[in-house]
Amino acid sequence: MKVPVEIITLLKKEEKFLIMTHINPDGDAIGSSTALSLALGSVGKETLLYDRDPVPQFYRFLPGYERFTNSISSLVTGHWSLILLDCNSPERAGIDNLTFKHSIVIDHHETERDFGDIRWMDTETAATGLMVFYLIKELGIKITRDIAINLYSAISIDTGTFRYSNTTPEVLRVGAELIEAGANPYYISNSLYETWSGGRFDLLIRALNTLEIRDDIAITTVTKEMFIKTRTGPEDTENFSNFPRMIQSVRISALFREIDTGLWKVSLRSKGDVNVARIAELFDGGGHKNAAGYKIKADLESAKEALLKAVNGYCHKSQQT
Ligand SMILES: [Mn+2]
């Protein structure tokens, strides 16, 4: 993978970086951002690691996660350079009205917004963690054990731990290199997948109990009331939409999560060639081919109908081309 030379030059020249990633951060967002902060810190650069939302409990085994803050000092404005990771617009990170000395975007999502002085977008890449891996190497910075754990976790989350169609020989080679640098696959998989709280599991049971299958679309729902009853939060639903995809006949799995009365976050997961990023874009959302999302203001039934209609339209169109 070719790292743009302008990014290397800028990272070597500048001293102060605001590293920022998207709201509701996932493992790739947190792991790649923390890894880059640790790497730049190891060569004497100052970094501020920002996310609007807190790091979910189950990612708090990642070394350095406590660097994340949800407040940006006013000193940052105009004097610091921004590195935006795993998303490509400040809106996705939940901020606006900030100015930066320079802005760099490093991302692999299909849905692009027009932002950044230097944009490194690679939609073919499995994870932002992979791009950060090459970036750190290109900078000549040593991949320490802590950096390796973060990058391995980032890549794990976005490849379903080396199972999804984005798992290439290159991904496995980088994974092997990260293991050599000190990442322990068993420890990381165990931390990522086998440390759920009882409440989170209860929430999953409740969500799966709402399952309905319409044609080849599986729909599950999580309401605000379920969060209250199980003492959980929105971050606990990460990966929930993967479960109904286990059913052989299902091509799209959609999880409707209630944000507020009449406002829903819809997470889409698909199999094979069904590009759910294209469907999410119809609702001003976005993502990847097999994992995307959007928000919709409607009552639940209308929101479901709107999705089914969009999927029908998409399937009709893709049959024509
Ligand atoms: Mn990602």
Side-chain angles (χ1 to χ4, degrees):
M1 187 182 296
K2 182 89 188 71
V3 182
V5 64
E6 307 94 286
I7 295 184
I8 301 296
T9 311
L10 209 120
L11 292 191
K12 284 189 171 162
K13 194 179 82 192
E14 295 299 325
E15 295 299 329
K16 293 174 192 294
F17 299 96
L18 173 65
I19 299 175
M20 191 161 81
T21 186
H22 56 79
I23 56 174
N24 303 320
D26 58 14
D28 187 29
I30 297 162
S32 57
S33 306
T34 309
L36 188 57
S37 172
L38 291 169
L40 291 175
S42 76
V43 291
K45 310 275 182 184
E46 200 174 332
T47 64
L48 186 70
L49 196 50
Y50 173 85
D51 198 279
R52 192 197 70 180
D53 299 323
V55 173
Q57 200 62 44
F58 46 89
Y59 285 130
R60 296 191 180 182
F61 73 97
L62 291 171
Y65 86 85
E66 65 285 345
R67 290 173 169 232
F68 270 101
T69 169
N70 65 355
S71 66
I72 301 177
S73 150
S74 55
L75 296 173
V76 164
T77 301
H79 303 287
W80 288 47
S81 296
L82 171 71
I83 309 173
L84 193 59
L85 292 175
D86 202 42
C87 63
N88 57 72
S89 73
E91 295 82 64
R92 268 294 283 146
I95 65 143
D96 49 20
N97 297 329
L98 278 181
T99 54
F100 303 99
K101 199 171 169 189
H102 305 278
S103 52
I104 300 171
V105 172
I106 301 174
D107 186 27
H108 68 134
H109 286 88
E110 285 200 11
T111 312
E112 274 200 58
R113 307 278 189 265
D114 184 26
F115 171 83
D117 304 332
I118 308 173
R119 298 170 59 77
W120 182 22
M121 296 288 304
D122 189 346
T123 56
E124 297 294 305
T125 293
T128 300
L130 210 67
M131 301 168 84
V132 170
F133 169 81
Y134 287 108
L135 176 62
I136 293 173
K137 291 225 336 179
E138 194 68 31
L139 285 164
I141 298 173
K142 183 179 178 327
I143 307 261
T144 60
R145 181 173 166 274
D146 285 358
I147 292 174
I149 293 171
N150 275 286
L151 293 178
Y152 188 94
S153 302
I155 296 165
S156 289
I157 285 297
D158 274 17
T159 61
T161 303
F162 310 106
R163 289 181 300 129
Y164 297 159
S165 60
N166 55 9
T167 306
T168 57
E170 183 193 15
V171 167
L172 290 170
R173 270 183 220 113
V174 171
E177 222 177 290
L178 292 170
I179 294 170
E180 280 164 353
N184 179 328
Y186 171 69
Y187 165 75
I188 291 171
S189 295
N190 188 67
S191 305
L192 287 176
Y193 304 115
E194 288 168 26
T195 56
W196 284 33
S197 66
R200 189 180 182 194
F201 205 80
D202 188 6
L203 185 69
L204 175 66
I205 293 169
R206 287 166 195 256
L208 293 180
N209 267 322
T210 69
L211 175 70
E212 46 180 315
I213 295 180
R214 301 203 192 170
D215 301 326
D216 45 13
I217 306 165
I219 297 175
T220 42
T221 309
V222 172
T223 60
K224 281 201 295 186
E225 197 192 347
M226 291 181 192
F227 286 127
I228 295 165
K229 285 204 167 132
T230 57
R231 298 180 181 198
T232 51
E235 69 280 4
D236 289 301
T237 62
E238 190 180 323
N239 280 333
F240 274 24
S241 41
N242 291 339
F243 288 91
R245 195 169 57 173
M246 289 176 175
I247 303 164
Q248 191 176 28
S249 62
V250 164
R251 288 207 303 157
I252 296 176
S253 167
L255 174 77
F256 285 74
R257 167 166 71 76
E258 189 178 23
I259 300 173
D260 226 322
T261 308
L263 180 63
W264 299 88
K265 167 82 207 286
V266 185
S267 299
L268 301 173
R269 297 291 182 275
S270 68
K271 273 184 193 147
D273 281 338
V274 182
N275 189 334
V276 283
R278 294 287 100 84
I279 294 163
E281 280 166 8
L282 298 172
F283 299 94
D284 281 330
H288 304 287
K289 186 177 154 201
N290 297 123
Y294 63 90
K295 284 180 192 161
I296 183 168
K297 254 192 184 138
D299 63 86
L300 183 57
E301 238 358 89
S302 317
K304 287 179 188 173
E305 287 303 329
L307 170 66
L308 295 172
K309 210 173 141 205
V311 172
N312 275 334
Y314 164 82
C315 292
H316 187 65
K317 217 170 118 198
S318 52
Q319 270 161 13
Q320 284 175 337
T321 50

